[in-house]
Amino acid sequence: MADLRTSANAIAGPDSADRPRRVAFNTLGCKLNQYETDALASRFIQQGYEVVSFDSPADAYIINTCTVTNKADRKTRNTINRAIRLSGKLESMDIRSVGGSNSQMTPAAPDRPISSKTDTGADSSITADIKTDQRGAMVVVTGCFVDSHKDELEADGRSFVVDNERKNSIFELVDGHLRGEIVHPESLQGDRFAYAASRQVFRTRGMVKIQDGCDNFCSFCIIPFVRGTAISRDPAEIIDSAQRMLDEGYRELVLTGVNMSRYEHGDTRFSHIVESLLNLEGDYRLRISSIEPDQLDDRFIELMKHPRMTPHLHLCLQSGSEKTLLKMRRQYSYAQYLDIVRRIRRDLPEFNITTDIIVGFPGEGESEFNESLEALRTIGFGHVHAFKYSVRKGTRAERMDGKVDEKTKSARSESLRIAAEAEKNRYRRGFIGRNQRVLVERTLESGGKIWARGLGEHYIPVTFPLPGSRDAASFLNQYIDVTVTGIEDGDDPQLIAEIRV
């Protein structure tokens, strides 16, 4: 035990007794991951840790990963290898799983790519032998990439591997090891909702997790396999967490989950949760992150007119082709999607609808792709996140005929991008001469002026000059009423504004 304590304590570096422990985070993927990272970081801060940037020296590097596409996988692998290089680790950790993989981890050079090689002769006892270079920091990998590549990561052996179910207990893992204890990831307590209310660590907006997992099993999607089946958080916990965030000083709450429109806890449905959150105490606004269009009832659509509700939804479409939506096993038709948009915009014509669209899904021909282009122009999306279809192993779409070649997918993706940028610019130019209420997130100096930047209620970035009579920091996390005077050029054009007198 003495040797193990010496090795684990050495991870922190020789000056660890004279400074707080340092932890760095890198988050990939969705707002649900961002919420969980925020909550984890808040827990570390509450326990006296210092959160530092990912490129800084740290005692632990924590990566919250994504695996929704091949591109996300590549980013995840690159980030893991970057963390391993930053950690200074020269050898792997040899940790034998409890009730998990029985693979023995083998030594690795710091710049070696993640390997899937395993040694099936390993012992599966509860003991752990940590063979970490004494200069090495901990590297903890969690998130959806773990749930789809766990054996590969464990075989590589240079990181602690924590699945989504146990992500909430990462503090216990890191703190235990840095104090010299033997803590195996498989021994952590799992709870998808046991996260502390986050503090303002990384952003002004506070995210509230209300749901996790999905039962839809769309033919292209791996999320039900890595996030698990749908589960909804207790309404009392949601309200309590949200109120504590407002008490901490957040001015905007963002609801997040995997499939929020399917929220169900006893007799409580999604619209009930939204209505309850709109009635909390405080000066704030409520935003809803990515949501599926199925199960959105009349009450929810009516709540879009509430003065605290931001006039923006990221409403997932994926395709404007009825034939393709059917093959994707989506739970709605394009006609139903369009009806929701028109019902919302009947009373709120400037309401911002953003979306995701997949191009090159198996069986998509020119006519199906053109239907997506037509849907883009008909709806007038404020922003489109375009994906080239990416094969996910184990999904129904992997076995489908009619695969679209990469050259065609790239060409369609570019055509969609150009059309989407035109619609975004058209939509944003419509705000020139109009008023926006901006939540200021940061200030910067440019052209001899101090500028404030934040998001208007329609989820559009706005920049405006600050008066010289006030300290710039006093504008942070404040609502400022402005009038839009112009727009910048570029792929993500900012609105330029002046403070309303």
Side-chain angles (χ1 to χ4, degrees):
M1 179 66 73
D3 291 340
L4 179 59
R5 289 182 184 275
T6 299
S7 179
N9 286 336
I11 292 173
D15 63 335
S16 59
D18 302 323
R19 61 164 175 77
R21 302 282 194 186
R22 296 170 183 156
V23 59
F25 292 87
N26 193 307
T27 306
L28 298 98
C30 63
K31 282 186 169 59
L32 186 54
N33 267 5
Q34 293 173 13
Y35 157 81
E36 290 162 347
T37 296
D38 285 357
L40 289 171
S42 297
R43 177 81 187 283
F44 277 94
I45 290 172
Q46 288 166 358
Q47 297 299 321
Y49 281 70
E50 179 185 358
V51 174
V52 299
S53 68
F54 200 71
D55 290 320
S56 300
D59 304 301
Y61 296 89
I62 299 171
I63 307 155
N64 200 354
T65 65
C66 178
T67 190
V68 70
T69 62
N70 288 331
K71 184 177 180 180
D73 281 355
R74 288 194 299 273
K75 286 184 177 180
T76 290
R77 293 175 191 275
N78 290 338
T79 305
I80 293 171
N81 284 326
R82 179 175 152 213
I84 288 168
R85 289 192 295 271
L86 287 166
S87 74
K89 206 177 300 298
L90 296 181
E91 289 185 328
S92 69
M93 299 167 296
D94 182 0
I95 302 179
R96 297 167 173 85
S97 294
V98 183
S101 167
N102 290 331
S103 60
Q104 181 172 350
M105 302 174 190
T106 54
D111 58 353
R112 187 191 69 183
I114 296 172
S115 167
S116 59
K117 182 180 179 181
T118 61
D119 178 353
T120 57
D123 182 5
S124 60
S125 68
I126 197 169
T127 60
D129 174 25
I130 300 180
K131 300 189 300 184
T132 308
D133 173 70
Q134 291 197 354
R135 294 183 297 106
M138 292 179 69
V139 176
V140 181
V141 183
T142 189
C144 293
F145 186 85
V146 166
D147 287 68
S148 60
H149 297 79
K150 191 173 184 181
D151 289 347
E152 173 185 342
L153 289 164
E154 288 183 336
D156 174 78
R158 293 173 292 171
S159 62
F160 293 82
V161 181
V162 182
D163 57 29
N164 275 319
E165 189 69 26
R166 297 174 176 85
K167 186 189 295 184
N168 64 291
S169 294
I170 281 176
F171 173 80
E172 283 75 15
L173 173 71
V174 172
D175 193 58
H177 273 282
L178 294 182
R179 288 187 290 106
E181 297 177 1
I182 300 174
V183 182
H184 192 282
E186 295 285 346
S187 71
L188 301 174
Q189 293 295 313
D191 189 327
R192 285 190 269 179
F193 297 123
Y195 292 90
S198 63
R199 296 182 175 183
Q200 293 185 45
V201 182
F202 298 114
R203 52 187 58 84
T204 301
R205 301 181 299 280
M207 280 173 272
V208 183
K209 182 178 180 179
I210 71 166
Q211 184 271 344
D212 204 339
C214 184
D215 297 330
N216 283 358
F217 287 92
C218 297
S219 61
F220 60 85
C221 186
I222 197 173
I223 296 302
F225 301 100
V226 295
R227 278 281 181 180
T229 56
I231 180 171
S232 298
R233 190 178 184 185
D234 184 274
E237 291 181 8
I238 294 171
I239 302 304
D240 178 67
S241 179
Q243 186 62 65
R244 281 188 284 135
M245 286 189 193
L246 294 176
D247 294 342
E248 285 278 348
Y250 283 105
R251 308 298 298 279
E252 180 173 303
L253 300 178
V254 183
L255 298 194
T256 186
V258 174
N259 191 358
M260 288 189 292
S261 65
R262 293 295 184 103
Y263 179 94
E264 183 176 348
H265 195 285
D267 294 330
T268 305
R269 298 296 185 270
F270 182 54
S271 58
H272 301 146
I273 290 295
V274 172
E275 187 167 14
S276 296
L277 290 170
L278 287 169
N279 292 323
L280 295 176
E281 295 294 325
D283 182 16
Y284 66 97
R285 62 192 186 192
L286 184 68
R287 191 180 304 281
I288 295 169
S289 64
S290 181
I291 191 169
E292 300 292 310
D294 57 305
Q295 302 299 311
L296 295 182
D297 57 23
D298 293 340
R299 181 57 186 155
F300 174 80
I301 292 174
E302 186 67 22
L303 287 170
M304 292 297 98
K305 294 184 284 187
H306 193 286
R308 279 179 168 160
M309 177 64 71
T310 57
H312 163 252
L313 283 178
H314 188 84
L315 196 62
C316 301
L317 175 59
Q318 308 301 2
S319 176
S321 163
E322 300 286 17
K323 175 184 172 182
T324 302
L325 287 174
L326 191 62
K327 292 187 71 174
M328 288 178 169
R329 298 187 77 244
R330 301 293 283 172
Q331 305 298 307
Y332 55 88
S333 66
Y334 172 62
Q336 290 170 327
Y337 184 101
L338 186 59
D339 179 63
I340 291 171
V341 172
R342 286 174 171 167
R343 288 168 65 194
I344 292 173
R345 285 181 171 167
R346 187 178 303 145
D347 297 314
L348 301 166
E350 296 174 354
F351 197 99
N352 188 13
I353 303 290
T354 59
T355 200
D356 301 320
I357 294 179
I358 296 174
V359 297
F361 189 77
E364 181 190 72
E366 284 299 318
S367 61
E368 288 80 20
F369 172 67
N370 285 332
E371 286 177 307
S372 288
L373 279 177
E374 182 59 29
L376 187 156
R377 298 184 180 107
T378 298
I379 292 170
F381 291 110
H383 177 76
V384 175
H385 190 182
F387 296 85
K388 290 191 292 184
Y389 168 70
S390 179
V391 177
R392 302 283 81 186
K393 290 187 180 299
T395 61
R396 289 171 182 253
E398 182 190 15
R399 304 186 296 273
M400 287 182 178
D401 297 327
K403 297 292 192 299
V404 180
D405 63 85
E406 285 298 318
K407 184 178 180 180
T408 301
K409 284 195 286 188
S410 294
R412 289 178 184 172
S413 179
E414 180 63 9
S415 295
L416 190 74
R417 185 194 66 79
I418 292 170
E421 292 301 326
E423 286 302 314
K424 177 192 285 187
N425 274 276
R426 182 199 59 76
Y427 176 74
R428 292 189 178 183
R429 288 186 182 280
F431 284 94
I432 296 176
R434 298 179 180 272
N435 299 328
Q436 285 282 284
R437 194 175 192 221
V438 178
L439 180 58
V440 177
E441 298 183 357
R442 64 191 182 103
T443 61
L444 61 156
E445 186 174 356
S446 178
K449 293 183 179 181
I450 303 296
W451 297 75
R453 181 168 293 175
L455 289 173
E457 59 265 41
H458 291 80
Y459 203 61
I460 301 174
V462 182
T463 301
F464 56 93
L466 296 176
S469 58
R470 279 178 58 183
D471 178 18
S474 68
F475 285 86
L476 294 172
N477 201 36
Q478 300 298 315
Y479 287 116
I480 306 295
D481 292 320
V482 302
T483 299
V484 179
T485 58
I487 186 171
E488 288 181 349
D489 294 326
D491 292 340
D492 189 27
Q494 309 269 326
L495 298 181
I496 307 299
E498 299 283 349
I499 296 178
R500 291 171 61 192
V501 179

